[in-house]
Amino acid sequence: MRIKRWLVLLILSSIISTFCFLSAAGKLTEEQMTAYRTRPAVAMIYSGMFVKAQLKSGQTFELPNYGSGSGFFINPDGYLVTNGHVVDIYVKYMADKDGYAQKTLNDAIIQQIVVQFKKSQGREPSGKELEAAYKQFMQDQQPRITEHGAINYVLLSNSETFRFEVKKFSPSIPDGGKDIAVLKIERENCPVIMLGDSSQLVLQEPIFVIGFPGVVDPQRFPLLGKENTLISSITRGSISALKKDYNGMSVIQHDAATSPGNSGGPAVDIKGQVVGVHSYAATEYDGFKFCVPINSAKEFIRETGIETNKLSEFSIVFNKLMDAVWNEEWFDARGYVSTALAYMKNEPDLEKMQQMILTRINEMGFLEKIWRQSKTIVIIVVVLVILILVVLKIAFSPTVPEREAAPAHQGPATPVTPVTAAPPVDKTKASEPEGTVLEGEVAGSLTVLVKGEDKGTFNITSSGITIGRDPMTVNVHIADSIVSKNHLKIVPRGDKFFLVDLGSTNGTYVNGQKIKETLASLDDMVQLGKKGDIKLIIRK
């Protein structure tokens, strides 16, 4: 009984001592996680046109006619959604370039005439006065257009800039449309935001509107630095009402703080799923902001044939990163954030996340680092220590001699057959096919190319060769974020080689096809990750 009590106390004290040193750093809140999960997929949109003109005197001037808005990616292949009114000027210009350029010039001349008339006469001109002044200006100045062109740019949060084309367009709500447009840029592996179900919304449900409000644009608000231009704002509000517009279309009224520039940005729920597209606000009344429900936008998107809620490679790694951060698995998060930055360099939220992760790791004590990096080893060591202490306790405890019992019958002794423990099975070898060369024999060589640069050649023996990012556990060490800690094993088999992917994040590709395990020939193209930056050449 004393031994049992002592053993229980020993086990409890060991468990407590193992876990008591773990740090209690504060976790991110659910709202912070929502912001981090969604902001990389939100982009700024500049849309419109410009006109350059010259007067009879030779004076030249430029008339920009554009605005900025927000949009969000719905598909990895560069498809994003915004408001129709964000790209309205661009669409009209592309439909009749010369005509719209002339209209822009005429509107600017009329506006200038009205300003000058009010300044000199103290009132606005009548229709006849305006017409006469316009004819006189055209006769005296003879303005002519020298150049005009489109303004159609999408700016990602990491400052990448692309021209867009409009794939589908619906005018603004005052013009009788749904105020939705689908744009396309030439970029693969875009950050994607998931679309939710607006039919499940309820009154006073929290809502978060993401975008680039014009009031914090450094060009309009000079107190902010230019480096803030592509940092989107996320503002929290709640659903005030679920209404219909004058055409009978459903709209979502909310009270999140927004301004011009937020148009086209996503409104997301606490899970980070889009429930609406911010459309317009009653500027003279605070708190009257409206979104197009995402279910209405989905019907519009469906007509284009674009697949939604499809994750990109970036988004898959990014979601793993966010899960690791939420669970405070900092060493896993460090690897994921490096891979995510390889896909989307200079992304500000990712850079902040990387700095936070490194800070959390640096703040850890020695024992906590060991625990978080090698939990299995720590548990094994603790169990071994407990077993050793138990054995020592039993060995040095006083024992009570047992009485010898007289045997009832003494016959010939029965021989005892010794039992030998079966050797442990190597699971990696068990999955490999038979037919490898003799043990220790060099069966070939492996050359590693990183972005075309030869990083070395290594022998492939009968026992095989492992490739990965962890120098402690692999034969061939490749220090690149695309490579997993234990990525690939190659084992010779006759004239071919058996390739086994070891559960890597970015995958192994043979002749462009992702594999788990396969037989490869000498002329097969092997690469780590889909991009092909890291290639392997196998020779006999």
Side-chain angles (χ1 to χ4, degrees), residues 98-164:
D98 292 335
Y100 200 82
Q102 188 62 53
K103 178 183 181 302
T104 300
L105 176 60
N106 292 341
D107 290 346
I109 292 172
I110 291 171
Q111 183 180 10
Q112 187 63 27
I113 290 172
V114 171
V115 170
Q116 293 297 329
F117 192 95
K118 288 177 67 176
K119 187 176 180 180
S120 61
Q121 302 295 326
R123 62 178 178 83
E124 291 191 0
S126 64
K128 288 184 178 181
E129 290 172 330
L130 182 59
E131 183 180 359
Y134 174 78
K135 287 181 179 180
Q136 187 65 43
F137 181 89
M138 298 298 286
Q139 181 179 346
D140 295 342
Q141 302 296 335
Q142 297 180 14
R144 65 182 183 88
I145 295 174
T146 59
E147 184 184 352
H148 57 83
I151 297 174
N152 56 322
Y153 296 102
V154 170
L155 285 71
L156 275 61
S157 58
N158 66 341
S159 299
E160 290 183 60
T161 304
F162 300 88
R163 290 271 191 177
F164 69 77

Side-chain angles (χ1 to χ4, degrees), residues 3-238:
I3 292 177
K4 288 182 179 180
R5 189 186 310 150
W6 178 86
L7 183 60
V8 170
L9 291 174
L10 177 62
I11 294 172
L12 287 175
S13 62
S14 299
I15 293 173
I16 293 171
S17 63
T18 301
F19 290 100
C20 67
F21 57 78
L22 296 182
S23 66
K27 292 181 66 171
L28 294 177
T29 66
E30 198 170 9
E31 289 81 1
Q32 288 172 317
M33 291 293 293
T34 299
Y36 277 120
R37 284 187 186 277
T38 52
R39 294 208 313 178
V42 181
M44 178 180 282
I45 299 169
Y46 279 103
S47 173
M49 53 84 68
F50 70 91
V51 174
K52 291 183 179 179
Q54 186 176 36
L55 301 179
K56 180 181 178 180
S57 62
Q59 179 185 354
T60 61
F61 56 93
E62 184 172 346
L63 301 171
N65 186 11
Y66 70 94
S68 66
S70 306
F72 55 96
F73 287 98
I74 59 169
N75 180 280
D77 296 327
Y79 292 95
L80 62 159
V81 165
T82 186
N83 281 150
H85 75 260
V86 170
V87 295
D88 181 69
I89 294 174
Y90 170 79
V91 170
K92 290 175 179 176
Y93 170 74
M94 295 301 290
D96 180 12
K97 295 181 180 179
D98 292 335
Y100 200 82
Q102 188 62 53
K103 178 183 181 302
T104 300
L105 176 60
N106 292 341
D107 290 346
I109 292 172
I110 291 171
Q111 183 180 10
Q112 187 63 27
I113 290 172
V114 171
V115 170
Q116 293 297 329
F117 192 95
K118 288 177 67 176
K119 187 176 180 180
S120 61
Q121 302 295 326
R123 62 178 178 83
E124 291 191 0
S126 64
K128 288 184 178 181
E129 290 172 330
L130 182 59
E131 183 180 359
Y134 174 78
K135 287 181 179 180
Q136 187 65 43
F137 181 89
M138 298 298 286
Q139 181 179 346
D140 295 342
Q141 302 296 335
Q142 297 180 14
R144 65 182 183 88
I145 295 174
T146 59
E147 184 184 352
H148 57 83
I151 297 174
N152 56 322
Y153 296 102
V154 170
L155 285 71
L156 275 61
S157 58
N158 66 341
S159 299
E160 290 183 60
T161 304
F162 300 88
R163 290 271 191 177
F164 69 77
E165 61 175 311
V166 178
K167 288 297 184 181
K168 193 169 179 61
F169 170 80
S170 178
S172 64
I173 291 175
D175 290 339
K178 291 185 176 181
D179 202 19
I180 296 292
V182 178
L183 312 183
K184 172 74 167 67
I185 66 170
E186 291 302 319
R187 189 190 195 276
E188 297 179 346
N189 201 18
C190 294
V192 177
I193 191 167
M194 297 291 101
L195 306 186
D197 183 2
S198 54
S199 68
Q200 301 300 313
L201 294 175
V202 296
L203 291 178
Q204 291 302 301
E205 180 177 344
I207 195 171
F208 303 84
V209 179
I210 313 170
F212 300 89
V215 293
V216 296
D217 185 340
Q219 295 180 356
R220 303 177 187 176
F221 190 67
L223 294 181
L224 291 176
K226 291 184 178 180
E227 66 274 12
N228 299 295
T229 300
L230 294 177
I231 297 179
S232 60
S233 298
I234 179 167
T235 54
R236 176 172 178 160
S238 58

